[in-house]
Amino acid sequence: MKKSIVLLVSLLFITAISALILKNLDDTNAYMKEQNHKLNKAQLMMIINNAQIEASKVIKKYSDDIPSLEDVPFSIKEVDILLSLSLYDKYDINVYDDKTKKINNKKYEKLQKFFWDNSVDGFENFVYLLKGNQNIKNSKQLDDIITTVIKQTYSNKILEIKDELGFISTDSNSKLYELNLKVKYLKNMAKAYYILDKDGEVKYFELSFK
């Protein structure tokens, strides 16, 4: 029964996104292969926004039965989409308390154990750099710290755990979800990353074009 519900949720999600994309393409006559660069980017942003809205609806309605979707490909007319949706489960790197500026021992020990369990060099370097940056709020800040650790330790072992490091705190009572989207439309491509709460509200968002 559980599997059938998960499958149903997945199908409803992808079907809803597909229907919205078709409507957008028809409304803007984008299917005529318009080569205007700005129009194509606007279309990409609309597609991504609609996908996020549908993901939020699914999360809010089926919070206990959210399927884990990894790199699910589907195409509608000239639009190619690669979609991933999963529970947000990362180690919070913000070990310094926002108010007191002191180390939160529980977070510190949990993160230290994670580094040690994976034989990753440079934990103290990592924490020292966190102190200089205080509260990490985006992926760019995290990437900069990881790059510096690699240079200081002459080891890129930290890259093996990079995807499991995050900057948003969670607890047992507050589930978060990750939504990754790669969308290609005509000659343009965009990538989007969302962190959504159990009500589907956006807690974090990144967008890039290629």
Side-chain angles (χ1 to χ4, degrees), residues 51-170:
Q52 176 266 306
I53 290 171
E54 290 306 314
S56 293
K57 289 179 182 177
V58 168
I59 289 169
K60 187 173 183 179
K61 188 172 182 179
Y62 302 100
S63 58
D64 294 328
D65 297 298
I66 295 297
S68 181
L69 305 173
E70 185 174 351
D71 290 339
V72 177
F74 58 103
S75 300
I76 306 97
K77 292 191 176 181
E78 292 88 358
V79 180
D80 296 315
I81 298 176
L82 195 64
L83 178 150
S84 297
L85 177 66
S86 61
L87 191 66
Y88 179 90
D89 184 21
K90 295 179 183 285
Y91 288 83
D92 184 9
I93 65 167
N94 286 310
V95 297
Y96 286 91
D97 188 275
D98 251 355
K99 296 179 180 178
T100 66
K101 307 302 180 185
K102 294 181 179 180
I103 283 182
N104 179 312
N105 289 326
K106 187 176 179 179
K107 284 185 178 182
Y108 178 91
E109 290 169 5
K110 184 178 179 180
L111 187 63
Q112 182 184 55
K113 185 177 185 302
F114 178 58
F115 269 68
W116 288 359
D117 286 349
N118 288 276
S119 303
V120 175
D121 301 313
F123 176 72
E124 294 303 328
N125 302 65
F126 189 82
V127 173
Y128 179 79
L129 292 167
L130 288 174
K131 185 177 182 180
N133 287 273
Q134 291 301 324
N135 194 24
I136 304 302
K137 296 181 179 179
N138 58 60
S139 297
K140 174 66 168 58
Q141 289 176 297
L142 176 55
D143 287 345
D144 287 345
I145 288 177
I146 288 173
T147 299
T148 303
V149 169
I150 291 172
K151 289 178 180 177
Q152 290 178 347
T153 60
Y154 301 99
S155 169
N156 62 2
K157 186 79 174 174
I158 193 172
L159 293 178
E160 295 178 10
I161 63 168
K162 177 183 175 181
D163 291 342
E164 296 181 71
L165 300 176
F167 40 83
I168 295 180
S169 295
T170 58

Side-chain angles (χ1 to χ4, degrees), residues 183-196:
V183 182
K184 184 179 180 183
Y185 173 60
L186 298 181
K187 294 182 179 180
N188 297 94
M189 182 180 291
K191 293 172 65 177
Y193 173 67
Y194 290 89
I195 297 177
L196 308 166

